[in-house]
Amino acid sequence: MNLEQAWQAALAEIELQISRPNFVTWFAESKLLEKNEGVALVALPNNFAKEWIESRYQKIILGALRNLDETTKKVDFVVASAMSRPPAARAGLGRLQNDDLGQQSFSELKIDPETNLNPRYTLSSFVVGKSNELAFAAAQAIVQSPGHKYNPFFIYGGVGLGKTHLIQGMGNEIKALYKNAVKVRYVSSEKFTNDVIWAIKNKRMETVKEKYRFIDVLIIDDIQFIADKQATVEEFFHTFNALYESNKQVIISSDRPPRFIPTLEDRMRSRFEGGVLADIGYPDYELRCAIIKTKIEEKGVIASDEIVTLIANKIQRSIREIEGVLNKMLFYQNKRGEPVNIKTAEHIIEEVSERPAKNISANHIIKTVAGFYEISPLDLVNRSRKKEIAESRQIAMYLLRDMLSLSYPYIGRKLGRRDHTTAMYACVKISEEINRNQNLNHKILAIKDLINKA
Ligand code: ADP
Ligand code: MG
């Protein structure tokens, strides 16, 4: 197993132990650089991420690595920009050419320091199906003439559905097409926030302004995480306007459409809505199969058709989870020297898709849903049959089931003293409707965010 595979397997474990937004935010750009004498060295994209992860997730990471290899004693962190320098220039990273680090995994580590793009994400490796074909078509059109058509381009969809892949793929493609004539830059909204905070602290706002305003294609990932700080939002607005007004391409991703991002001001929101909005939905069965088949080929996983079908049936909501399953399969395949059988595959799927119980109470969920709909929590728990609260109560039921795995009789009793069939009906209905109704889906995402935040 090479380092990349080991890290993917560790990430699959880590993902189960922390919240989704945190996982996505902090681990998306992480890499395992080396393992030597029980010390694992993990690369992170910036100092901000490094400090954050060091102080909060060190134990979890060490635990996950130890599960894979008992000899792991310690985990250290470095900032990833160190990776783009030649190995000799990297103090303390001299052992990087270790045999473990195959040619291929090395290219995976190469984040372009100028654009901040990961070359792994390409448009040609993006598998297209019904749920992402419009977003993909828009992406291709923009690549052909950045800044002219479709500006800004705002792409939204749930976690793990391919937003980062698509927007980074666009960046890589533009870079390949126009070389140095077009300056591309990819940033996460944390990175942007961090830059602004740093500039304010060091009185270097001009540096940041220059850094962002001389860009031809600005790609901002996960805009919903932009810090809720006046100065950051303000600076983002100015940067955006400056670029937009000089016909520079702005590409933005988010887990929900602009109207559900509370930190965005109205003027910003209407700007985004005035461009092109494209959503990536949940992949249908066909697309899931196509992705699984493409990825097993890419990764060298050996899987029977039966296993492909099993994964496609069981994991419906996240391509990242599909990838997690395949990575774990690869891990077992390498460890045992034979392809995994259907039983092991079942076990892996369960492990990857199981959510750990969080420290959230039923009352907290009820209060948050009520707050979101601006009604009283009492309306939800009492027997009220008011029509306006029907949807909110069904969503509360669904969330109690989805987030806390509570029983239907309990949920029914708790919300409006109804019987278990009412609760079951609500949960099934909402979980089906999420697939069809993006609006509902985004409402639920926004509520979940609120629940997880408090
Ligand atoms: P998001 O940014 O929406 O949370 P990512 O872009 O990080 O999701 O995608 C999660 C994983 O799934 C990545 O490894 C990505 O390469 C893969 N992926 C997502 N969609 C596709 C697709 N259509 N084709 C191939 N791989 C995909
Ligand atoms: Mg992403």
Side-chain angles (χ1 to χ4, degrees):
M1 183 165 61
N2 68 23
L3 289 170
E4 166 69 9
Q5 291 156 348
W7 187 234
Q8 288 303 331
L11 285 178
E13 296 270 350
I14 294 166
E15 193 177 1
L16 300 177
Q17 298 180 51
I18 68 179
S19 81
R20 283 263 142 157
N22 273 325
F23 180 76
V24 179
T25 308
W26 302 113
F27 289 91
E29 311 273 296
S30 61
K31 298 284 172 198
L32 180 58
L33 276 188
E34 63 170 18
K35 255 172 57 187
N36 217 300
E37 290 158 15
V39 182
L41 185 65
V42 173
L44 298 165
N46 52 51
N47 258 319
F48 194 46
K50 177 171 176 274
E51 278 167 27
W52 190 274
I53 287 188
E54 254 173 351
S55 64
R56 287 170 178 80
Y57 301 127
Q58 193 148 20
K59 258 202 191 136
I60 290 177
I61 298 170
L62 184 60
L65 288 169
R66 213 175 258 163
N67 278 346
L68 296 171
D69 173 2
E70 289 154 19
T71 64
T72 313
K73 288 193 285 287
K74 188 169 177 269
V75 52
D76 280 337
F77 302 91
V78 284
V79 173
S81 57
M83 295 180 316
S84 49
R85 280 184 257 137
R90 275 181 244 120
L93 295 182
R95 291 183 300 261
L96 200 69
Q97 294 125 317
N98 191 315
D99 279 354
D100 275 358
L101 195 62
Q103 208 50 36
Q104 197 191 354
S105 53
F106 189 67
S107 80
E108 290 251 323
L109 300 175
K110 254 197 215 150
I111 291 171
D112 181 332
E114 200 184 309
T115 61
N116 211 13
L117 290 165
N118 185 336
R120 166 174 112 80
Y121 296 114
T122 61
L123 290 187
S124 54
S125 64
F126 191 83
V127 185
V128 183
K130 279 199 199 78
S131 54
N132 60 21
E133 64 189 358
L134 283 177
F136 185 76
Q140 278 184 314
I142 289 165
V143 163
Q144 292 311 317
S145 59
H148 297 292
K149 256 184 232 170
Y150 307 145
N151 203 18
F153 180 44
F154 191 103
I155 180 163
Y156 62 92
V159 173
L161 296 181
K163 300 180 298 294
T164 297
H165 186 137
L166 189 61
I167 61 180
Q168 289 222 20
M170 291 171 75
N172 280 319
E173 187 93 11
I174 290 171
K175 183 92 194 145
L177 272 174
Y178 305 95
K179 303 277 173 337
N180 294 327
V182 175
K183 254 184 107 121
V184 181
R185 183 138 191 105
Y186 167 88
V187 272
S188 63
S189 55
E190 276 79 26
K191 168 83 173 101
F192 185 85
T193 300
N194 198 30
D195 278 0
V196 173
I197 292 171
W198 171 89
I200 292 169
K201 221 168 91 189
N202 296 287
K203 303 200 166 50
R204 296 275 294 279
M205 212 55 219
E206 285 316 305
T207 319
V208 171
K209 284 194 200 313
E210 267 174 36
K211 178 169 166 191
Y212 286 102
R213 292 191 194 169
F214 290 100
I215 286 170
D216 300 304
V217 178
L218 178 64
I219 306 174
I220 298 212
D221 206 354
D222 287 322
I223 192 79
Q224 76 277 6
F225 291 134
I226 196 153
D228 195 1
K229 291 206 175 63
Q230 190 58 30
T232 316
V233 177
E234 194 69 15
E235 186 51 32
F236 175 67
F237 183 69
H238 291 314
T239 305
F240 172 82
N241 271 346
L243 292 173
Y244 177 77
E245 270 151 23
S246 42
N247 285 326
K248 310 292 190 178
Q249 181 69 48
V250 181
I251 299 168
I252 299 154
S253 88
S254 168
D255 66 348
R256 66 197 85 153
R259 65 181 180 283
F260 289 124
I261 307 175
T263 38
L264 283 189
E265 296 170 35
D266 289 343
R267 52 183 182 170
M268 209 58 258
R269 207 167 292 156
S270 54
R271 273 277 155 109
F272 290 167
E273 280 168 355
V276 169
L277 300 185
D279 74 321
I280 297 194
Y282 293 115
D284 59 13
Y285 179 77
E286 234 183 315
L287 179 58
R288 297 199 297 274
C289 282
I291 287 173
I292 296 165
K293 285 182 182 150
T294 310
K295 302 241 168 203
I296 58 180
E297 190 112 325
E298 267 172 30
K299 293 174 195 286
V301 179
I302 301 162
S304 64
D305 286 348
E306 199 187 2
I307 291 181
V308 172
T309 311
L310 179 74
I311 302 171
N313 274 323
K314 289 276 165 109
I315 303 198
Q316 308 190 351
R317 312 303 287 271
S318 163
I319 297 168
R320 178 172 296 123
E321 270 181 16
I322 288 180
E323 193 133 37
V325 167
L326 299 179
N327 287 331
K328 273 209 162 167
M329 283 174 62
L330 185 66
F331 170 65
Y332 284 116
Q333 180 182 312
N334 289 336
K335 195 163 140 181
R336 295 176 183 166
E338 60 181 29
V340 304
N341 58 26
I342 189 101
K343 255 193 109 161
T344 311
E346 264 167 6
H347 176 74
I348 293 174
I349 290 169
E350 232 159 70
E351 250 177 29
V352 169
S353 50
E354 215 171 61
R355 294 277 149 266
K358 291 192 205 84
N359 207 0
I360 289 171
S361 70
N363 284 338
H364 175 59
I365 292 181
I366 294 168
K367 268 193 212 145
T368 311
V369 172
F372 183 85
Y373 282 96
E374 298 182 314
I375 55 176
S376 157
L378 289 177
D379 277 335
L380 291 177
V381 298
N382 289 340
R383 238 193 131 82
S384 161
R385 282 187 183 274
K386 273 189 254 166
K387 226 180 149 205
E388 310 88 84
I389 68 155
E391 185 191 74
S392 44
R393 186 184 279 140
Q394 287 190 334
I395 288 181
M397 287 178 162
Y398 166 80
L399 289 171
L400 289 180
R401 180 75 184 177
D402 184 59
M403 298 181 86
L404 301 181
S405 307
L406 294 172
S407 73
Y408 292 126
Y410 176 89
I411 295 172
R413 267 202 312 278
K414 184 97 188 156
L415 291 169
R417 279 170 277 135
R418 292 167 189 265
D419 69 13
H420 76 280
T421 51
T422 310
M424 197 160 88
Y425 170 77
C427 296
V428 171
K429 180 181 161 224
I430 299 285
S431 57
E432 276 176 4
E433 221 182 330
I434 290 175
N435 291 317
R436 289 191 298 269
N437 180 344
Q438 282 297 313
N439 204 1
L440 177 71
N441 183 27
H442 290 106
K443 260 189 227 168
I444 288 179
L445 274 175
I447 298 171
K448 275 191 176 172
D449 248 12
L450 291 172
I451 293 170
N452 284 321
K453 241 185 217 153

